[in-house]
Structures are given as structure tokens and as C-alpha cells.
PDB file of all heavy atoms in Angstrom:
ATOM      1  N   GLN A1159      -4.968  -0.975 -15.271  1.00  0.00           N
ATOM      2  CA  GLN A1159      -4.871  -2.226 -16.005  1.00  0.00           C
ATOM      3  C   GLN A1159      -3.826  -3.133 -15.363  1.00  0.00           C
ATOM      4  O   GLN A1159      -2.670  -2.725 -15.198  1.00  0.00           O
ATOM      5  CB  GLN A1159      -4.519  -1.960 -17.473  1.00  0.00           C
ATOM      6  CG  GLN A1159      -5.577  -1.178 -18.227  1.00  0.00           C
ATOM      7  CD  GLN A1159      -6.922  -1.884 -18.238  1.00  0.00           C
ATOM      8  OE1 GLN A1159      -7.008  -3.065 -18.573  1.00  0.00           O
ATOM      9  NE2 GLN A1159      -7.973  -1.166 -17.867  1.00  0.00           N
ATOM     10  N   SER A1160      -4.232  -4.365 -15.012  1.00  0.00           N
ATOM     11  CA  SER A1160      -3.361  -5.265 -14.248  1.00  0.00           C
ATOM     12  C   SER A1160      -3.360  -6.670 -14.842  1.00  0.00           C
ATOM     13  O   SER A1160      -3.799  -7.630 -14.204  1.00  0.00           O
ATOM     14  CB  SER A1160      -3.828  -5.319 -12.787  1.00  0.00           C
ATOM     15  OG  SER A1160      -4.093  -4.043 -12.259  1.00  0.00           O
ATOM     16  N   PRO A1161      -2.885  -6.832 -16.082  1.00  0.00           N
ATOM     17  CA  PRO A1161      -2.917  -8.159 -16.709  1.00  0.00           C
ATOM     18  C   PRO A1161      -2.042  -9.163 -15.973  1.00  0.00           C
ATOM     19  O   PRO A1161      -0.961  -8.832 -15.477  1.00  0.00           O
ATOM     20  CB  PRO A1161      -2.387  -7.888 -18.122  1.00  0.00           C
ATOM     21  CG  PRO A1161      -1.580  -6.636 -18.003  1.00  0.00           C
ATOM     22  CD  PRO A1161      -2.266  -5.816 -16.952  1.00  0.00           C
ATOM     23  N   LYS A1162      -2.507 -10.378 -15.915  1.00  0.00           N
ATOM     24  CA  LYS A1162      -1.814 -11.433 -15.191  1.00  0.00           C
ATOM     25  C   LYS A1162      -0.462 -11.742 -15.844  1.00  0.00           C
ATOM     26  O   LYS A1162      -0.334 -11.807 -17.057  1.00  0.00           O
ATOM     27  CB  LYS A1162      -2.676 -12.691 -15.158  1.00  0.00           C
ATOM     28  CG  LYS A1162      -2.162 -13.785 -14.267  1.00  0.00           C
ATOM     29  CD  LYS A1162      -3.146 -14.936 -14.210  1.00  0.00           C
ATOM     30  CE  LYS A1162      -2.606 -16.060 -13.350  1.00  0.00           C
ATOM     31  NZ  LYS A1162      -3.553 -17.208 -13.317  1.00  0.00           N
ATOM     32  N   GLY A1163       0.542 -11.913 -14.976  1.00  0.00           N
ATOM     33  CA  GLY A1163       1.855 -12.331 -15.453  1.00  0.00           C
ATOM     34  C   GLY A1163       2.696 -11.241 -16.075  1.00  0.00           C
ATOM     35  O   GLY A1163       3.769 -11.528 -16.619  1.00  0.00           O
ATOM     36  N   LYS A1164       2.260  -9.982 -15.982  1.00  0.00           N
ATOM     37  CA  LYS A1164       2.980  -8.897 -16.651  1.00  0.00           C
ATOM     38  C   LYS A1164       3.608  -7.890 -15.692  1.00  0.00           C
ATOM     39  O   LYS A1164       4.742  -7.469 -15.866  1.00  0.00           O
ATOM     40  CB  LYS A1164       2.034  -8.153 -17.606  1.00  0.00           C
ATOM     41  CG  LYS A1164       1.512  -8.986 -18.744  1.00  0.00           C
ATOM     42  CD  LYS A1164       2.616  -9.374 -19.709  1.00  0.00           C
ATOM     43  CE  LYS A1164       2.067 -10.106 -20.915  1.00  0.00           C
ATOM     44  NZ  LYS A1164       3.146 -10.525 -21.851  1.00  0.00           N
ATOM     45  N   GLY A1165       2.836  -7.476 -14.686  1.00  0.00           N
ATOM     46  CA  GLY A1165       3.297  -6.410 -13.814  1.00  0.00           C
ATOM     47  C   GLY A1165       3.551  -6.867 -12.398  1.00  0.00           C
ATOM     48  O   GLY A1165       3.580  -8.058 -12.087  1.00  0.00           O
ATOM     49  N   ILE A1166       3.743  -5.868 -11.528  1.00  0.00           N
ATOM     50  CA  ILE A1166       3.829  -6.104 -10.092  1.00  0.00           C
ATOM     51  C   ILE A1166       2.691  -5.324  -9.446  1.00  0.00           C
ATOM     52  O   ILE A1166       2.557  -4.110  -9.649  1.00  0.00           O
ATOM     53  CB  ILE A1166       5.182  -5.656  -9.523  1.00  0.00           C
ATOM     54  CG1 ILE A1166       6.259  -6.641  -9.954  1.00  0.00           C
ATOM     55  CG2 ILE A1166       5.135  -5.560  -7.996  1.00  0.00           C
ATOM     56  CD1 ILE A1166       7.653  -6.244  -9.543  1.00  0.00           C
ATOM     57  N   TYR A1167       1.880  -6.037  -8.687  1.00  0.00           N
ATOM     58  CA  TYR A1167       0.750  -5.440  -8.000  1.00  0.00           C
ATOM     59  C   TYR A1167       0.876  -5.858  -6.530  1.00  0.00           C
ATOM     60  O   TYR A1167       0.674  -7.019  -6.182  1.00  0.00           O
ATOM     61  CB  TYR A1167      -0.569  -5.926  -8.609  1.00  0.00           C
ATOM     62  CG  TYR A1167      -0.509  -5.989 -10.116  1.00  0.00           C
ATOM     63  CD1 TYR A1167      -0.499  -7.203 -10.790  1.00  0.00           C
ATOM     64  CD2 TYR A1167      -0.387  -4.814 -10.877  1.00  0.00           C
ATOM     65  CE1 TYR A1167      -0.393  -7.262 -12.173  1.00  0.00           C
ATOM     66  CE2 TYR A1167      -0.287  -4.862 -12.255  1.00  0.00           C
ATOM     67  CZ  TYR A1167      -0.289  -6.089 -12.906  1.00  0.00           C
ATOM     68  OH  TYR A1167      -0.171  -6.145 -14.272  1.00  0.00           O
ATOM     69  N   VAL A1168       1.245  -4.909  -5.690  1.00  0.00           N
ATOM     70  CA  VAL A1168       1.547  -5.223  -4.295  1.00  0.00           C
ATOM     71  C   VAL A1168       1.022  -4.120  -3.390  1.00  0.00           C
ATOM     72  O   VAL A1168       1.091  -2.936  -3.740  1.00  0.00           O
ATOM     73  CB  VAL A1168       3.069  -5.428  -4.087  1.00  0.00           C
ATOM     74  CG1 VAL A1168       3.861  -4.205  -4.543  1.00  0.00           C
ATOM     75  CG2 VAL A1168       3.395  -5.762  -2.642  1.00  0.00           C
ATOM     76  N   SER A1169       0.469  -4.525  -2.249  1.00  0.00           N
ATOM     77  CA  SER A1169       0.025  -3.573  -1.232  1.00  0.00           C
ATOM     78  C   SER A1169       0.718  -3.895   0.078  1.00  0.00           C
ATOM     79  O   SER A1169       0.775  -5.060   0.484  1.00  0.00           O
ATOM     80  CB  SER A1169      -1.494  -3.647  -1.039  1.00  0.00           C
ATOM     81  OG  SER A1169      -2.178  -3.197  -2.194  1.00  0.00           O
ATOM     82  N   LEU A1170       1.234  -2.864   0.733  1.00  0.00           N
ATOM     83  CA  LEU A1170       1.868  -3.007   2.047  1.00  0.00           C
ATOM     84  C   LEU A1170       0.900  -2.503   3.104  1.00  0.00           C
ATOM     85  O   LEU A1170       0.380  -1.389   3.001  1.00  0.00           O
ATOM     86  CB  LEU A1170       3.170  -2.212   2.103  1.00  0.00           C
ATOM     87  CG  LEU A1170       4.455  -2.881   1.600  1.00  0.00           C
ATOM     88  CD1 LEU A1170       4.889  -4.006   2.533  1.00  0.00           C
ATOM     89  CD2 LEU A1170       4.303  -3.399   0.182  1.00  0.00           C
ATOM     90  N   LEU A1171       0.662  -3.342   4.108  1.00  0.00           N
ATOM     91  CA  LEU A1171      -0.312  -3.054   5.154  1.00  0.00           C
ATOM     92  C   LEU A1171       0.407  -2.812   6.475  1.00  0.00           C
ATOM     93  O   LEU A1171       1.143  -3.680   6.957  1.00  0.00           O
ATOM     94  CB  LEU A1171      -1.280  -4.234   5.273  1.00  0.00           C
ATOM     95  CG  LEU A1171      -2.357  -4.174   6.362  1.00  0.00           C
ATOM     96  CD1 LEU A1171      -3.261  -2.966   6.166  1.00  0.00           C
ATOM     97  CD2 LEU A1171      -3.177  -5.467   6.336  1.00  0.00           C
ATOM     98  N   TYR A1172       0.187  -1.637   7.040  1.00  0.00           N
ATOM     99  CA  TYR A1172       0.844  -1.260   8.293  1.00  0.00           C
ATOM    100  C   TYR A1172      -0.199  -0.764   9.305  1.00  0.00           C
ATOM    101  O   TYR A1172      -1.310  -0.368   8.939  1.00  0.00           O
ATOM    102  CB  TYR A1172       1.845  -0.127   8.056  1.00  0.00           C
ATOM    103  CG  TYR A1172       2.991  -0.470   7.147  1.00  0.00           C
ATOM    104  CD1 TYR A1172       3.029   0.015   5.838  1.00  0.00           C
ATOM    105  CD2 TYR A1172       4.044  -1.257   7.588  1.00  0.00           C
ATOM    106  CE1 TYR A1172       4.096  -0.284   5.001  1.00  0.00           C
ATOM    107  CE2 TYR A1172       5.116  -1.561   6.755  1.00  0.00           C
ATOM    108  CZ  TYR A1172       5.132  -1.070   5.469  1.00  0.00           C
ATOM    109  OH  TYR A1172       6.183  -1.369   4.636  1.00  0.00           O
ATOM    110  N   LYS A1173       0.210  -0.769  10.570  1.00  0.00           N
ATOM    111  CA  LYS A1173      -0.608  -0.189  11.618  1.00  0.00           C
ATOM    112  C   LYS A1173       0.277   0.744  12.444  1.00  0.00           C
ATOM    113  O   LYS A1173       0.725   0.404  13.539  1.00  0.00           O
ATOM    114  CB  LYS A1173      -1.232  -1.266  12.507  1.00  0.00           C
ATOM    115  CG  LYS A1173      -2.267  -0.699  13.479  1.00  0.00           C
ATOM    116  CD  LYS A1173      -2.990  -1.786  14.237  1.00  0.00           C
ATOM    117  CE  LYS A1173      -4.069  -1.177  15.140  1.00  0.00           C
ATOM    118  NZ  LYS A1173      -4.816  -2.230  15.866  1.00  0.00           N
ATOM    119  N   PRO A1174       0.530   1.931  11.949  1.00  0.00           N
ATOM    120  CA  PRO A1174       1.425   2.857  12.657  1.00  0.00           C
ATOM    121  C   PRO A1174       0.745   3.499  13.854  1.00  0.00           C
ATOM    122  O   PRO A1174      -0.426   3.852  13.796  1.00  0.00           O
ATOM    123  CB  PRO A1174       1.752   3.906  11.584  1.00  0.00           C
ATOM    124  CG  PRO A1174       0.562   3.889  10.692  1.00  0.00           C
ATOM    125  CD  PRO A1174       0.054   2.479  10.669  1.00  0.00           C
ATOM    126  N   ASP A1175       1.495   3.645  14.917  1.00  0.00           N
ATOM    127  CA  ASP A1175       0.978   4.291  16.122  1.00  0.00           C
ATOM    128  C   ASP A1175       1.285   5.784  16.039  1.00  0.00           C
ATOM    129  O   ASP A1175       2.118   6.325  16.773  1.00  0.00           O
ATOM    130  CB  ASP A1175       1.616   3.664  17.363  1.00  0.00           C
ATOM    131  CG  ASP A1175       1.026   4.214  18.662  1.00  0.00           C
ATOM    132  OD1 ASP A1175      -0.064   4.819  18.586  1.00  0.00           O
ATOM    133  OD2 ASP A1175       1.659   4.053  19.717  1.00  0.00           O
ATOM    134  N   VAL A1176       0.613   6.451  15.102  1.00  0.00           N
ATOM    135  CA  VAL A1176       0.814   7.887  14.888  1.00  0.00           C
ATOM    136  C   VAL A1176      -0.548   8.524  14.650  1.00  0.00           C
ATOM    137  O   VAL A1176      -1.537   7.844  14.362  1.00  0.00           O
ATOM    138  CB  VAL A1176       1.733   8.173  13.680  1.00  0.00           C
ATOM    139  CG1 VAL A1176       3.104   7.553  13.874  1.00  0.00           C
ATOM    140  CG2 VAL A1176       1.095   7.673  12.386  1.00  0.00           C
ATOM    141  N   ALA A1177      -0.600   9.843  14.770  1.00  0.00           N
ATOM    142  CA  ALA A1177      -1.830  10.578  14.490  1.00  0.00           C
ATOM    143  C   ALA A1177      -2.165  10.446  13.002  1.00  0.00           C
ATOM    144  O   ALA A1177      -1.272  10.519  12.151  1.00  0.00           O
ATOM    145  CB  ALA A1177      -1.665  12.046  14.861  1.00  0.00           C
ATOM    146  N   PRO A1178      -3.438  10.249  12.668  1.00  0.00           N
ATOM    147  CA  PRO A1178      -3.821  10.075  11.262  1.00  0.00           C
ATOM    148  C   PRO A1178      -3.355  11.195  10.344  1.00  0.00           C
ATOM    149  O   PRO A1178      -3.019  10.948   9.178  1.00  0.00           O
ATOM    150  CB  PRO A1178      -5.353  10.003  11.335  1.00  0.00           C
ATOM    151  CG  PRO A1178      -5.641   9.451  12.694  1.00  0.00           C
ATOM    152  CD  PRO A1178      -4.581  10.047  13.579  1.00  0.00           C
ATOM    153  N   MET A1179      -3.299  12.445  10.839  1.00  0.00           N
ATOM    154  CA  MET A1179      -2.880  13.552   9.983  1.00  0.00           C
ATOM    155  C   MET A1179      -1.462  13.382   9.469  1.00  0.00           C
ATOM    156  O   MET A1179      -1.098  13.925   8.427  1.00  0.00           O
ATOM    157  CB  MET A1179      -3.010  14.875  10.739  1.00  0.00           C
ATOM    158  CG  MET A1179      -4.430  15.394  10.832  1.00  0.00           C
ATOM    159  SD  MET A1179      -5.184  15.619   9.201  1.00  0.00           S
ATOM    160  CE  MET A1179      -4.108  16.886   8.520  1.00  0.00           C
ATOM    161  N   ARG A1180      -0.645  12.624  10.198  1.00  0.00           N
ATOM    162  CA  ARG A1180       0.726  12.412   9.738  1.00  0.00           C
ATOM    163  C   ARG A1180       0.777  11.596   8.455  1.00  0.00           C
ATOM    164  O   ARG A1180       1.765  11.634   7.713  1.00  0.00           O
ATOM    165  CB  ARG A1180       1.541  11.701  10.815  1.00  0.00           C
ATOM    166  CG  ARG A1180       2.098  12.630  11.868  1.00  0.00           C
ATOM    167  CD  ARG A1180       3.232  11.977  12.626  1.00  0.00           C
ATOM    168  NE  ARG A1180       4.299  11.517  11.747  1.00  0.00           N
ATOM    169  CZ  ARG A1180       5.216  10.627  12.087  1.00  0.00           C
ATOM    170  NH1 ARG A1180       5.200  10.099  13.294  1.00  0.00           N
ATOM    171  NH2 ARG A1180       6.156  10.260  11.247  1.00  0.00           N
ATOM    172  N   ALA A1181      -0.282  10.828   8.192  1.00  0.00           N
ATOM    173  CA  ALA A1181      -0.282   9.955   7.018  1.00  0.00           C
ATOM    174  C   ALA A1181      -0.563  10.705   5.722  1.00  0.00           C
ATOM    175  O   ALA A1181      -0.449  10.122   4.641  1.00  0.00           O
ATOM    176  CB  ALA A1181      -1.305   8.831   7.204  1.00  0.00           C
ATOM    177  N   VAL A1182      -0.910  11.975   5.835  1.00  0.00           N
ATOM    178  CA  VAL A1182      -1.255  12.745   4.633  1.00  0.00           C
ATOM    179  C   VAL A1182      -0.112  12.746   3.623  1.00  0.00           C
ATOM    180  O   VAL A1182      -0.329  12.704   2.406  1.00  0.00           O
ATOM    181  CB  VAL A1182      -1.638  14.190   5.023  1.00  0.00           C
ATOM    182  CG1 VAL A1182      -1.797  15.059   3.786  1.00  0.00           C
ATOM    183  CG2 VAL A1182      -2.923  14.186   5.843  1.00  0.00           C
TER     184      VAL A1182
END
């Protein structure tokens, strides 16, 4: 539930140069 003006809804987008398994 993400009602407007109430919470914080944020996504951080990265492109790490690491093996995908490290992201587990």
C-alpha cells in the first residue's frame, strides 16, 4: 500500500561490475 503524500517510495538503480551471484 503506497498512498500519496504519506510514505517514502524510492528505488536505487545501480550497475555493479560484479558476478550476479554476489547480489544474492
Side-chain angles (χ1 to χ4, degrees):
Q1159 296 301 309
S1160 314
K1162 189 175 178 181
K1164 296 293 185 182
I1166 287 175
Y1167 319 110
V1168 56
S1169 293
L1170 274 291
L1171 177 60
Y1172 297 105
K1173 189 173 183 178
D1175 185 17
V1176 300
M1179 282 303 297
R1180 277 198 56 198
V1182 172

